[in-house]
Amino acid sequence: MALRLNGQTSGYVELEAPATAASNTLTLPNGNGSSGQVIQTNGSGVLSFVDLPTDTGATWTTLSSADLASQGAVSVTGIPSTATRVMVSFTNVKTATNNSWGIRAGTSSGLQSSGYDSIAGYWGASNGGSASTTEWTCYGSASTGFDWNGQIIVYKMSGNLWQGFAWFHYNGGNTSRFAHGEVSLSGTLDRIGFTGLGANFASGTIYPSYMEP
């Protein structure tokens, strides 16, 4: 059976029940609702106008940038315990001497310099790689003439176990490098740091952000 509502001048709107219908009662909402709203049911036949849900997906929160120049190590703090991903972009990173540099995760006690299970290497005229237990490292010689640009993203795996992926390239050269590995921290991650591994940085800026669920 159908219920037909005729238009004032022509046409109609028809509501039709299923061919085999249970005994259902639908109570219409009082009013017209607002623009963009939809009708929902409470499961007992009472209908109401509601707003469509908004996107509550995870977003990146930006922290203050930091300069590396003339410093042996720089930590970015302010990462909350609820963070599940940390991203740090970096530009113009140079060491003051012919030295490698690395990226470390840390807790309120400072940057952790042990317990990493990582590998670093490069693509270019030839391939190479080196394992490290002290950081996610820029493998090989980081000459004062090298001007590194890149990014690291660190993912929370479970508990205080974090996995990091870094990739970087230096201006004027044909070598792209990578670092990948994980570290189990002694506590909750609240910082990411850059270290010259025994030498000061000549220049560089880091741009950190984090994501919460």
Side-chain angles (χ1 to χ4, degrees):
M1 178 177 290
L3 172 65
R4 179 176 294 187
L5 305 175
N6 294 321
Q8 289 185 353
T9 57
S10 64
Y12 61 86
V13 174
E14 187 170 278
L15 301 177
E16 186 170 354
T20 302
S23 299
N24 302 312
T25 300
L26 297 176
T27 302
L28 294 174
N30 183 16
N32 296 324
S34 301
S35 176
Q37 286 188 316
V38 297
I39 292 180
Q40 76 169 11
T41 178
N42 69 349
S44 298
V46 178
L47 307 180
S48 60
F49 290 107
V50 296
D51 294 325
L52 286 170
T54 57
D55 182 9
T56 58
T59 58
W60 289 99
T61 299
T62 301
L63 296 171
S64 299
S65 60
D67 292 327
L68 302 179
S70 301
Q71 302 186 72
V74 173
S75 295
V76 175
T77 58
I79 301 169
S81 60
T82 51
T84 57
R85 193 176 305 176
V86 180
M87 177 172 63
V88 183
S89 300
F90 49 90
T91 58
N92 308 120
V93 175
K94 293 182 182 180
T95 50
T97 60
N98 190 23
N99 208 72
S100 298
W101 56 275
I103 304 168
R104 289 172 172 163
T107 68
S108 58
S109 298
L111 295 177
Q112 188 160 310
S113 58
S114 63
Y116 294 81
D117 181 12
S118 66
I119 184 72
Y122 61 90
W123 304 274
S126 61
N127 296 326
S130 177
S132 175
T133 60
T134 59
E135 72 279 316
W136 292 291
T137 186
C138 171
Y139 169 71
S141 173
S143 166
T144 56
F146 290 2
D147 187 3
W148 295 100
N149 300 275
Q151 186 177 80
I152 181 170
I153 300 183
V154 183
Y155 299 85
K156 184 173 185 177
M157 306 304 291
S158 63
N160 293 322
L161 178 65
W162 291 80
Q163 190 169 90
F165 299 85
W167 52 95
F168 25 89
H169 186 86
Y170 72 88
N171 292 337
N174 62 350
T175 301
S176 294
R177 304 195 178 189
F178 69 88
H180 168 227
E182 64 184 28
V183 61
S184 184
L185 297 175
S186 59
T188 302
L189 181 142
D190 73 349
R191 67 195 63 203
I192 292 289
F194 281 55
T195 172
L197 298 177
N200 284 349
F201 288 100
S203 66
T205 306
I206 53 180
Y207 304 91
S209 57
Y210 64 86
M211 180 181 286
E212 296 176 283

